Amino acid sequence: MGKICFTSIRKIILFGLIAGYMPLGAVAEVSDRNLGIIPAPLSVKVHSGYFQITNVKKAAILYETEADLANARLFQEYLCRNFGLDLPVTDRAKKKYQETICFQSSGTQEMGAEAYHLLVTPSRIEIRGKEAGGFYGLQSLMQMCSVASGKGKMQIPCAEIDDAPRFVYRGIMQEVGYHIFPVEFIKRQIDLLAKYKLNVYHWHLTEDHGWRIEIKKYPKLMEVGAYRAQTCVSNYDEEMTGGDGIPYGGYYTQEEVKDIVAYAQARHVAIIPEIELPGHSLAALASYPHLACGDQPGPFRVAEWWGIYEDVYCAGKEETFRFLEDVLTEVMELFPGKYIHIGGDECPKERWKKCTYCQKRIKEEGLKDEFELQSYFVKRIEKFVNEKGREIIGWDEILEGGLAPRATVMNWRDTSEGIKAARQHHDVIMAPNAFLYFDYIQGDRAQEPLAIGWGYNPTERVYVYEPVPEQLAPEHRPYIIGVEAPLWTEHIDTYRKAEYMLFPRLMALSEIAWSVPEVKDLKNFKEERLPVHLAWLDTTGIIYRVPEPIGMERDTLYGAEFTVSLKVPVEGGKIYYNFEGQPARETDYLYEKPFRIIVPEGQKRELKAITVAPSGKRSITATTIFIHQKSK
């Protein structure tokens, strides 16, 4: 990575797709119809019995093709690391074994690219799927594993699973312009995307506040645009405002980008770069001022304060388009996927209104106003990208002034924008801030890390979101191709805070992206599967938000007598509670069974409780108030 001005982080041990896939304890209990799998499969048929390795010498992992071999080796290492089982990997045609785990691509001609079939019998496991499908079948298989009695013992419930994703686009957006994060952290995010069958990492690489990707033809983007003189202090206290006076910045070298792209490809995750235009471009203008409006624009500074800036790329100068075409050419050489995200959001028009070059462009092109000028800008960039064999994605503002012919719309504002685009027969990715912005808080704002000043998206709210608007006619619904959860980072200045904002909401996102509505069940997700997955996450060192005790109402209840029944949201964790009016802690009552609360007439009781995970991580304090009102 280029020079990065932040405190050195501790060495991160990447758990990857193998090293950190710890056994999931009770996940194989057949009482759970989904067998502990997140996201919930399309079809699960549970049968009696278990597959177990009874004799290592008579067991093997079999494969057919090179893609099958890659999955076979992943499972081989998983069994060895987590269960002490060292099974050979061999071509399925070479030798007969008593107990086998077989990865195969044959018979998959009619299956979708990401679909898989998983069959578990007492003596055989079979995973069928094409490259991505076989890989996703492997993820489900590893989630089904459980420890029967320690090292050397592993059992998987007998079952038959047919599974395929609901949407082809399933991802998150990581913004690095406000704050930049280490390569190791990005890889760790990609690992978790793959585990939960998410397939897109949207990498927001340029912003007013910093240019984060090396472009060899324009070195000032790294020398100037990648660094700001200081950062505004993130807080909501008027007495603690201003800048911190500390230079900040950094960028990813092209070699680092190539490494991350290859890492993601091996895990069936596509990385989509975003190069913002025509707005959010102040870092580029600070590097090359002639790209702004006017004859002698600038000088400009890389943005130091959060917000939207009026200085944007000049839409009337040809050198603007030459610059962007050069930049996008280098970007497309680094990112081999189908899509290039060009931003298109929050572009002020004030500079264009006063610019002779922009006004001349409007007149020459017969445009109505500056909104149509932005449409001209986006359409021209789209044409260039299309000529290179790629497609563009833009935020829903690209609808204003006329939509580019083949553009995919990312709907971040009101869902009416996505509806409008789908009705125009354009592909739409749903990323509405009201449900899927992961920079929004998850609980009581006073107890949560500082976040953007509005919005509340707890895991439950993410889970119940339905991406296909009911207002769409049946013929327009297929244009909703997927969902994405953006993580903007104005107030997220460490990778630890980014992890906290991502997990466990990412698990809920995976289920709305993969699972059809008919198999979704919030109670099953929250109370049966998620606690086991959080117990695994608790062993990895990842910072995640520990949920409050299940059953605590964030409300006021009225009555004379209550029975409180709680559940631990992290398997193996504990719940502590008190009635003292202070935050709960480990010195308080340990919850062991349901208890009664009796409230005398005219009085109230305040119950406070926390979850403490096995690692010692704690939830925020949850509060329920019980009031017995006086009789009239």
Side-chain angles (χ1 to χ4, degrees), residues 285 288-295 297-298 300 311-314 317 320 355:
L285 300 183
Y288 297 97
H290 69 279
L291 301 175
C293 290
D295 289 317
F300 303 104
D311 289 297
V312 301
Y313 289 120
C314 179
K317 295 178 181 178
T320 297
C355 175

Side-chain angles (χ1 to χ4, degrees), residues 506-519:
L506 183 137
M507 287 81 155
L509 173 72
S510 78
E511 195 136 313
I512 66 173
W514 180 279
S515 307
V516 296
E518 291 77 10
V519 303

Side-chain angles (χ1 to χ4, degrees), residues 30 98 115 185 248 250 283-284 290 308 316 469 472 477 504 577:
V30 182
Q98 181 175 307
F185 168 69
Y248 181 94
H290 69 279
I308 300 171
L472 279 179
R477 293 180 181 181
Y577 65 95

Side-chain angles (χ1 to χ4, degrees), residues 253-296:
T253 67
Q254 291 199 1
E255 288 307 308
E256 287 172 324
V257 170
K258 290 176 184 176
D259 176 52
I260 291 170
V261 169
Y263 189 90
Q265 284 179 321
R267 290 150 179 79
H268 300 279
V269 174
I271 298 188
I272 298 175
E274 179 170 352
I275 305 298
E276 274 272 13
L277 58 91
H280 289 291
S281 50
L282 194 54
L285 300 183
S287 307
Y288 297 97
H290 69 279
L291 301 175
C293 290
D295 289 317
Q296 291 184 315

Side-chain angles (χ1 to χ4, degrees), residues 475-520:
E475 64 267 24
H476 296 138
R477 293 180 181 181
Y479 289 102
I480 308 298
I481 64 169
V483 294
E484 178 176 291
L487 183 63
W488 301 97
T489 65
E490 294 100 321
H491 304 294
I492 301 175
D493 51 5
T494 70
Y495 73 89
R496 292 176 292 276
K497 189 171 181 180
E499 288 178 343
Y500 181 92
M501 303 302 276
L502 280 168
F503 308 111
R505 290 189 286 194
L506 183 137
M507 287 81 155
L509 173 72
S510 78
E511 195 136 313
I512 66 173
W514 180 279
S515 307
V516 296
E518 291 77 10
V519 303
K520 287 180 60 186

Side-chain angles (χ1 to χ4, degrees), residues 175 177 204-208 210-213 274-276 280:
E175 191 278 326
H204 193 290
L205 288 163
T206 70
E207 187 53 74
D208 291 307
W211 186 281
R212 302 290 179 231
I213 182 172
E274 179 170 352
I275 305 298
E276 274 272 13
H280 289 291

